[in-house]
Amino acid sequence: MNTALTSSPEEAARYINRGRLVAFPTETVYGLGADITSTAALESIFKAKGRPSDNPLIVHISSPARIREVAATVTPEAEKLIEKFFPGPLTLILPRQPWISDLVTAGRSTVGVRCPSNPLTREFLSCCTHPVAAPSANISGRPSSTDWHSVQQDLQGRIDCILKGSASAIGLESTIVDCSSPVPMLLRQGAVSLETLQEVLPSIKASTRHNSSQKAPLSPGQKYPHYAPRAQVILFDTGTGPTAVIPQNAAYIGTAQPPDGFRKVLRCPDLDTYAHNLFRFFRECDRQGIGTICCQRPPSSGIGRALQDRIERAAEPR
């Protein structure tokens, strides 16, 4: 299969409407989309990524007004979050419409929905006949793709089309909130932080991190290893240094000045820049044959909490 490249949202949407797979930009990371009504296309997502079938997909809509096409019920709590954060980097878990395929929901009675804010993405989605189900556009378990070149490196020949856009502005996947239960629950950290969510809904709680022993997860990012480069990832605390002796062939990313001796260094001026560059840095290190990546531990607040989650998952044994 030859993977087409296009800058036209209309052309990319024609692939979706014919039951094909299209990678597309969003403000978080690039997604790999299929028409939500096409069983064959949905199955192709799991095959192209090597994604476990019990890992649910997020449905992308072009405007907040289309959410009831996907969600059977929109709770009052969800309405408040939609009003404040849609379009944007927030996914809501809601009771699903009965017609939605189990391939999207991993057999659960709920579905994840989001409305991206990227203008090119929304134009693309508005040209699609139906909402688009999409996980991140990368090989399952690898760092998410934040530019179309990374998508091409992972999925060339596995998918039908890549919609070329700018690099993702945020660089981390969307925040996920479960609004299907009486108390809204933060399932995955993202750019919309717990503190920001609690300004709108003070009752929101953060869930404990799930592991591989759980059954079908409510949302992506809860069960399987994620975000891992081939290099070993080490998380270290500010001021302590990654190790007494810097590993050979090692790289560093963070906001603090590292000690001398790293082969590759990316010092970021702030946490937003750190988040924006994390997955790109992982991929660059792999291309350069780096053996160890030392990541400064971010603070456990704001986007720092999301950064810490991604780094901890990347550092898990595999």
Side-chain angles (χ1 to χ4, degrees), residues 11-38:
E11 181 180 354
R14 286 195 288 271
Y15 278 91
I16 291 285
N17 295 337
R18 296 199 304 267
R20 307 291 183 83
L21 297 187
V22 174
F24 60 95
T26 80
E27 72 277 19
T28 57
V29 298
Y30 270 64
L32 178 59
D35 185 307
I36 194 175
T37 68
S38 173

Side-chain angles (χ1 to χ4, degrees), residues 236-240 252-259 262 265-271 274 296-297:
F236 71 98
D237 293 309
T238 305
T240 63
Y252 164 90
I253 182 171
T255 59
Q257 179 65 40
F262 285 101
V265 171
L266 180 59
R267 186 183 180 191
C268 304
D270 51 50
L271 289 177
Y274 190 174
Q296 179 190 347
R297 185 186 298 276

Side-chain angles (χ1 to χ4, degrees), residues 187-205:
L187 301 182
R188 183 172 75 184
Q189 307 284 346
V192 182
S193 67
L194 176 62
E195 296 87 349
T196 302
L197 291 165
Q198 288 175 333
E199 291 175 3
V200 179
L201 286 180
S203 62
I204 285 183
K205 306 295 183 185

